[in-house]
């Protein structure tokens, strides 16, 4: 009786401990990213990464993008394990290609903050909980040469050829 | 002095004045004893409390809601950016941003969450949140503010609203494309249609020209 009660207590405390400790081992992440592609539809390039975590407890996450020096807190939807990280930067600063975001829990974030304060390289200090990679294809700047310009050039060329032939005939 | 004189003249232990005098003297003596010891403790605690960050400050959040689009077009992405700044003297906790200004009948959500929360926003820092929506039809829309709630270290709850972009004009897709699309297909169609008026006279000329050149070469 006592033994079974004790066993139940141990299991319950372990469960509660897992809930309260706020750690997550090997979480599965389902993510979806969005980046600006049309310069007329946004004055800055925005990046959005929305993801869902399969953790028992809801974590407080912070994120570091590529080699950045700003640790961003990750906001969370209410009631569900859905998170959305978003930031913006001028069009010129946004680089094309694959970008990597590293996510840290409170402990990892504290280590990163300490490293950033003392100027150390944050990537060598803390191990991220998980990483999300996404692709930025750059802005769709449209056609390089405008078709009206090309049409004007062609018509000038045709006129010039005709004019040269006419003067040659008249000589 | 008055009380002590009255008490000595009338040494009746049950008289009110004697009781009051005794209480005052006793409390005075006890206070002197305690105050010396407590004084140091209180002083130490005050110094420590003053050194703790934000222990006597309040959080104050300012939030803005801005549409980043230069052109707002029907059925094209509308980028909405929320920025929250903590200009107070302590950390803001349990910050909840709730936006209900984009009704599903007028805007479709492309990416982003309308309701998000941050566990804490430290003082002198800011956070950004972005949502992408798409207006389903052209026209004028009034985009109102989003709501913000947060608490501070003293467990006071604050409610506020963000700034609002106000009235926005969403242009119809046809008008936008007329001005900003490349119209390559239209130009190729124009080229195809203008070819006959150039190509036929050129072929006629070239036929007679080549015949003349051949005759000229034969003569030489």
């Amino acid at each position: 009786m006592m033994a079974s009660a004790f066993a139940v207590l141990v299991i319950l405390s372990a469960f509660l401990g897992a809930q309260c400790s706020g750690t997550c081992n090997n979480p599965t992440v389902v993510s979806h990213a969005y980046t600006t592609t049309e310069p007329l539809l946004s004055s800055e390039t925005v990046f959005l990464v929305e993801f869902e975590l399969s953790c028992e407890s809801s974590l407080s996450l912070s994120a570091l993008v590529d080699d950045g020096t700003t640790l961003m807190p990750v906001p969370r939807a209410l009631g569900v394990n859905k998170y959305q990280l978003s930031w913006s930067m001028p069009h010129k600063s946004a680089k094309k290609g694959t970008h990597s975001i590293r996510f840290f829990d409170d402990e990892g974030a504290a280590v990163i903050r300490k490293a950033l304060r003392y100027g150390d390289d944050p990537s060598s200090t803390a191990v991220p909980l998980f990483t999300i990679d996404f692709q930025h294809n750059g802005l769709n700047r449209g056609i390089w040469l405008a078709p009206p310009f090309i049409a004007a050039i062609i018509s000038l060329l045709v006129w010039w050829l005709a004019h040269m032939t006419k003067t040659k005939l008249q000589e | 002095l008055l009380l002590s004189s009255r008490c000595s003249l009338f040494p009746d232990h049950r008289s009110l004045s004697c009781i009051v005098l005794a209480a005052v003297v006793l409390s005075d003596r006890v206070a002197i004893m305690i105050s010396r010891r407590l004084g140091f403790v209180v002083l130490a605690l005050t110094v420590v409390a003053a050194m703790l960050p934000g222990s006597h400050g309040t959080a104050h959040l300012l939030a803005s809601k801005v549409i980043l689009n230069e052109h707002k077009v029907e059925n094209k992405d509308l980028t909405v950016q929320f920025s929250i700044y903590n200009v107070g003297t302590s950390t803001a906790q349990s910050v909840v941003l709730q936006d209900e200004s984009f009704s599903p009948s007028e805007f479709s959500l492309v990416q982003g969450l309308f309701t998000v929360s941050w566990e804490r926003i430290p003082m002198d820092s800011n956070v950004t949140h972005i949502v992408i929506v798409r207006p389903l039809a052209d026209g004028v829309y009034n985009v109102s503010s989003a709501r913000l709630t947060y608490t501070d270290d003293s467990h006071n709850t604050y409610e506020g609203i963000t700034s609002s972009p106000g009235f926005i004009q969403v242009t119809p897709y046809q008008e936008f494309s007329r001005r900003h699309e490349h119209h390559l297909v239209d130009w190729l169609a124009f080229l195809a249609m203008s070819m006959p008026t150039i190509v036929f006279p050129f072929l006629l000329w070239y036929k007679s020209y080549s015949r003349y050149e051949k005759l000229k070469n034969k003569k030489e």
Side-chain angles (χ1 to χ4, degrees):
Chain A
M1 177 69 178
M2 281 293 284
S4 58
F6 182 67
V8 167
L9 202 66
V10 165
I11 291 164
L12 197 68
S13 61
F15 178 68
L16 282 172
Q19 289 279 24
C20 296
S21 67
T23 55
C24 205
N25 297 319
N26 297 322
T28 49
V29 182
V30 178
S31 72
H32 195 262
Y34 171 98
T35 65
T36 303
T37 49
E38 303 275 338
L40 287 174
L41 299 179
S42 183
S43 54
E44 290 192 337
T45 300
V46 306
F47 299 89
L48 257 91
V49 178
E50 217 177 311
F51 59 96
E52 203 166 330
L53 270 188
S54 65
C55 274
E56 317 86 36
S57 56
S58 53
L59 299 170
S60 162
L61 294 172
S62 304
L64 206 60
V65 181
D66 292 330
D67 300 324
T69 51
T70 321
L71 194 66
M72 295 187 275
V74 184
R76 188 173 70 221
L78 295 177
V80 281
N81 257 359
K82 263 194 184 174
Y83 298 76
Q84 184 201 331
L85 181 67
S86 44
W87 70 100
S88 64
M89 57 171 65
H91 291 310
K92 287 200 180 122
S93 319
K95 303 227 163 49
K96 262 207 282 191
T98 311
H99 297 265
S100 172
I101 316 174
R102 288 170 288 155
F103 292 87
F104 303 92
D105 56 2
D106 281 336
E107 285 174 15
V111 173
I112 295 284
R113 248 177 246 126
K114 204 166 147 193
L116 288 170
R117 211 180 303 148
Y118 294 115
D120 296 332
D121 177 24
S123 55
S124 57
T125 47
V127 175
L129 269 182
F130 56 93
T131 310
I132 293 179
D133 293 333
F134 67 94
Q135 189 75 17
H136 177 49
N137 294 319
L139 291 171
N140 180 19
R141 290 277 186 196
I143 289 187
W144 196 56
L145 272 179
F149 179 70
I150 298 174
I153 297 290
I154 291 173
S155 42
L156 276 174
L157 196 71
V158 168
W159 173 85
W160 182 77
L161 285 170
H163 183 74
M164 289 300 291
T165 319
K166 186 176 151 202
T167 48
K168 213 166 39 171
L169 281 173
Q170 281 173 342
E171 277 168 12
Chain B
L1 265 168
L2 196 66
L3 277 173
S4 64
S5 63
R6 255 199 92 168
C7 200
S8 62
L9 280 173
F10 303 99
D12 183 359
H13 296 289
R14 279 170 290 174
S15 76
L16 190 63
S17 54
C18 280
I19 292 169
V20 167
L21 180 65
V24 165
V25 167
L26 188 66
S27 60
D28 195 38
R29 289 224 174 109
V30 166
I32 290 169
M33 252 171 44
I34 294 172
S35 67
R36 274 195 203 125
R37 288 185 182 89
L38 267 185
F40 291 112
V41 175
V42 168
L43 188 67
L45 279 175
T46 318
V47 168
V48 168
M51 291 196 305
L52 279 174
S55 59
H56 49 267
T58 49
H60 189 45
L61 296 185
L62 299 177
S64 76
K65 175 174 164 178
V66 169
I67 292 180
L68 296 181
N69 283 47
E70 197 184 315
H71 296 268
K72 293 126 189 153
V73 188
E74 173 194 3
N75 281 319
K76 288 263 178 186
D77 294 347
L78 198 73
T79 312
V80 186
Q81 183 184 54
F82 301 89
S83 308
I84 306 176
Y85 302 85
N86 187 353
V87 296
T89 48
S90 89
T91 305
Q93 325 252 8
S94 309
V95 183
V96 178
L97 176 73
Q98 214 166 341
D99 189 13
E100 286 161 1
S101 59
F102 297 105
S103 75
S105 59
E106 291 170 340
F107 295 91
S108 69
L109 178 64
V110 176
Q111 186 90 56
L113 301 166
F114 281 133
T115 306
V116 283
S117 82
W118 289 264
E119 235 185 65
R120 67 187 77 88
I121 299 178
M123 68 176 199
D124 289 339
S125 73
N126 62 327
V127 290
T128 314
H129 180 62
I130 296 167
V131 175
I132 312 285
V133 290
R134 208 170 266 182
L136 298 174
D138 59 297
V140 176
Y141 294 94
N142 184 13
V143 180
S144 55
S145 318
R147 277 186 293 131
L148 193 68
T149 51
Y150 58 100
T151 58
D152 67 4
D153 289 338
S154 334
H155 302 287
N156 300 320
T157 310
Y158 300 91
E159 278 187 18
I161 53 170
T162 67
S163 65
S164 69
F167 287 98
I168 59 165
Q169 171 85 45
V170 175
T171 42
Y173 178 70
Q174 275 183 340
E175 199 182 307
F176 174 74
S177 77
R178 201 189 313 142
R179 274 188 227 151
H180 297 107
E181 298 279 302
H182 50 67
H183 303 296
L184 189 62
V185 176
D186 298 338
W187 279 106
L188 288 173
F190 169 74
L191 200 71
M193 288 192 289
S194 62
M195 277 294 103
T197 52
I198 297 172
V199 167
F200 285 136
F202 174 76
L203 284 175
L204 283 170
W205 168 81
Y206 189 71
K207 215 161 84 173
S208 60
Y209 171 76
S210 59
R211 212 185 294 162
Y212 179 71
E213 286 292 303
K214 254 193 244 169
L215 283 170
K216 206 168 84 172
N217 291 335
K218 259 198 194 162
K219 264 195 190 168
E220 287 165 10

